[in-house]
Amino acid sequence: DAGQEPIPIHLEDVIRPEVSSLLGALGTDIYLFSGDHEKYVEKVAKQLGIQRYAAQLSPQEKKSRIEEMEGVIAFVGDGLND
C-alpha cells in the first residue's frame, strides 16, 4: 500500500559449531574469498579463525586469486557464483 514503510529483513547463515575446529585440524593456510559484503565476510572469518580473506569479489576475481596461488588447492563453493 502507498504510504507504508518497508520493513528491513536481515538473513544470516549459521556456522555449525564443529566447523572452526575442523578447519584448525587441517593444519594448512586457509583463505576466504567471497562476493559477500566486507562486514559479513570479516565476521565469518573471525568466527572461523581465518586470517586471510577478501570480500565483494566477482566470480572472475575469485578465480584469478585462486590461480595466483601455488601448491595444492582445495576449493569449496556454494555453486551460486563460483
Side-chain angles (χ1 to χ4, degrees):
D1 288 333
Q4 290 185 340
E5 293 292 320
I7 300 171
I9 297 175
H10 175 79
L11 301 175
E12 187 172 305
D13 293 324
V14 176
I15 298 171
R16 293 177 13 196
E18 66 273 17
V19 173
S20 183
S21 61
L22 289 172
L23 291 176
L26 291 175
T28 188
D29 293 333
I30 296 176
Y31 295 78
L32 174 60
F33 299 141
S34 176
D36 291 329
H37 190 274
E38 176 82 24
K39 194 176 207 178
Y40 176 72
V41 175
E42 180 180 20
K43 179 180 176 184
V44 169
K46 285 182 179 179
Q47 287 176 335
L48 296 175
I50 297 174
Q51 303 296 318
R52 291 166 295 278
Y53 62 90
Q56 296 179 274
L57 299 176
S58 70
Q60 184 58 43
E61 289 170 319
K62 289 185 265 184
K63 181 178 183 267
S64 294
R65 298 265 183 126
I66 292 169
E67 289 174 340
E68 293 170 0
M69 301 175 86
E70 296 179 4
V72 177
I73 310 253
F75 172 82
V76 178
D78 59 15
L80 296 177
N81 293 314
D82 304 312

